[in-house]
Amino acid sequence: MLAIIASMGLVVVSPLALPALDGGGEDWQRIADIAQAYGAVSALLSALAVVGVAASLVLQAREAKAARVQTTRVLHIELTKMAMEKPEFLDCWGGPDSTRTVLLRRQHMYINLVVSHWEMSFEVGEITEQWLAAAADEIFAGEIGRSFWARSRQARLSTAASRRSRRLHEIIDARYQASLGTPPRTEPALADHGIPGVVPPRAGGPE
């Protein structure tokens, strides 16, 4: 922007400087020849203006896409929260699931929201690959995170739509594979805290 403003300023004041370039004389032919040299500056300004407009359109398109994605994510979060809060809606997400308790299904849905948040943040450059790897290590330190990724990894890896999204899922899957080399953290089983529809996990684990 500074270069464009400076060039425009030079073009504006150049007619006043032409006599001085001629040594104070009135050789208008020579002045005309000098003036023709400013055609290159005019062409440069036009090119810079086109580049500026193109860059602005690209940024606006990216912002509009990010806004649409954000709106879709917010709606997805609201629908997921409804299913997490009301067990009768859980069966609307794929039907009854005898392999998981209601509590475990809620926990998987919560982790799915976390991963979706990572995806959005990674797409816009708010988190780094190192941060993502460290966060994935924390999730996969427990059995619930591992069981979630074991169930959803194929779907997420195969449906990643952008290069950044594919890279994110590759990093998460690599950290999941690395976590399998160590036993998960052993934590006390969660009991039913009065939440309707929650069945305490079996002693052998959440699944």
Side-chain angles (χ1 to χ4, degrees):
M1 291 300 297
L2 290 176
I4 293 174
I5 293 173
S7 299
M8 292 179 65
L10 289 174
V11 171
V12 171
V13 303
S14 60
L16 302 177
L18 288 177
L21 293 175
D22 189 42
E26 296 183 355
D27 188 349
W28 295 107
Q29 180 60 46
R30 186 168 184 273
I31 292 176
D33 294 339
I34 296 174
Q36 289 180 359
Y38 285 89
V41 176
S42 177
L44 176 61
L45 285 175
S46 299
L48 290 175
V50 171
V51 171
V53 171
S56 177
L57 291 175
V58 170
L59 290 176
Q60 289 180 13
R62 290 183 61 183
E63 290 176 356
K65 180 180 179 181
R68 292 195 302 271
V69 171
Q70 181 64 22
T71 300
T72 303
R73 295 274 171 82
V74 170
L75 177 59
H76 175 256
I77 290 172
E78 291 301 320
L79 293 173
T80 304
K81 286 175 60 179
M82 291 176 62
M84 293 171 64
E85 293 168 358
K86 298 183 178 181
E88 62 267 27
F89 292 153
L90 280 176
D91 288 344
C92 299
W93 292 67
D97 187 350
S98 60
T99 65
R100 293 182 294 175
T101 64
V102 171
L103 176 59
L104 183 60
R105 293 179 70 182
R106 287 178 171 177
Q107 291 169 331
H108 281 184
M109 295 176 79
Y110 176 78
I111 296 177
N112 184 64
L113 292 179
V114 172
V115 175
S116 295
H117 172 67
W118 290 351
E119 185 175 6
M120 184 66 182
S121 300
F122 192 71
E123 286 275 2
V124 298
E126 290 185 356
I127 61 176
T128 64
E129 293 189 2
Q130 292 76 16
W131 188 97
L132 176 63
D137 285 342
E138 184 66 22
I139 290 289
F140 295 139
E143 180 61 32
I144 295 174
R146 297 184 188 186
S147 64
F148 160 77
W149 192 252
R151 296 179 67 95
S152 62
R153 62 185 297 270
Q154 286 297 336
R156 279 189 163 272
L157 288 169
S158 61
T159 58
S162 66
R163 181 183 60 83
R164 294 280 292 177
S165 179
R166 288 191 294 272
R167 179 57 182 160
L168 172 132
H169 287 92
E170 289 171 357
I171 294 172
I172 294 177
D173 193 56
R175 301 319 304 160
Y176 166 74
Q177 298 293 343
S179 72
L180 299 180
T182 58
R185 291 174 182 168
T186 56
E187 299 174 339
L190 293 177
D192 183 357
H193 295 287
I195 304 175
V198 172
V199 179
R202 297 187 298 273
E207 291 206 10

